[in-house]
Amino acid sequence: MPPYRHLHNEFISTAVGRGVIGLIALIALLAAPILIAMESARDDRRSDRVAFAILLSGCYTLFGLTNLLFSHDHTNTVFVSCYLILVAAAHQSRVGLTRFDRPFLGIPPRA
């Protein structure tokens, strides 16, 4: 397709526009939340993290396959935001944090 724009299927569009390597990278990106949740600490919230990861990757996959992505910018922003929340939750479960402390960031905490 010389005037390549969008084939209304995220996986086919990625394969045509970015090749096999791009398609593999997309699939790895969609598998990452599930792998992170599966490898998180085995506590009482693990099943919630796994369900959240499956929902996140599954919805993005379903929306990409059926062209229900209303705007790639919005969907990608939601995916990345939810992915970062999942990574933070997995890290929190691994190190055993029970409350959030503001990171130092060069500004001393209030006394």
Side-chain angles (χ1 to χ4, degrees):
M1 294 181 63
Y4 168 73
R5 299 215 192 279
H6 195 273
L7 298 173
H8 304 292
N9 181 317
E10 190 67 24
F11 293 90
I12 294 173
S13 294
T14 300
V16 170
R18 294 179 177 89
V20 175
I21 301 297
L23 183 61
I24 291 170
L26 176 63
I27 293 170
L29 180 73
L30 293 173
I34 297 170
L35 295 174
I36 288 171
M38 295 294 289
E39 294 298 320
S40 65
R42 295 185 180 275
D43 58 2
D44 58 338
R45 301 301 303 260
R46 182 174 184 265
S47 60
D48 295 335
R49 288 188 297 272
V50 172
F52 181 72
I54 291 171
L55 182 69
L56 176 63
S57 294
C59 286
Y60 193 92
T61 301
L62 178 68
F63 293 166
L65 286 172
T66 59
N67 196 35
L68 291 175
L69 294 173
F70 300 111
S71 172
H72 293 282
D73 296 337
H74 299 293
T75 310
N76 292 343
T77 302
V78 169
F79 181 84
V80 170
S81 300
C82 292
Y83 177 77
L84 291 175
I85 290 169
L86 180 66
V87 168
H91 173 72
Q92 182 181 10
S93 71
R94 182 167 289 135
V95 297
L97 293 175
T98 58
R99 66 185 183 94
F100 178 77
D101 289 325
R102 180 178 60 84
F104 180 60
L105 300 175
I107 303 169
R110 292 183 202 154

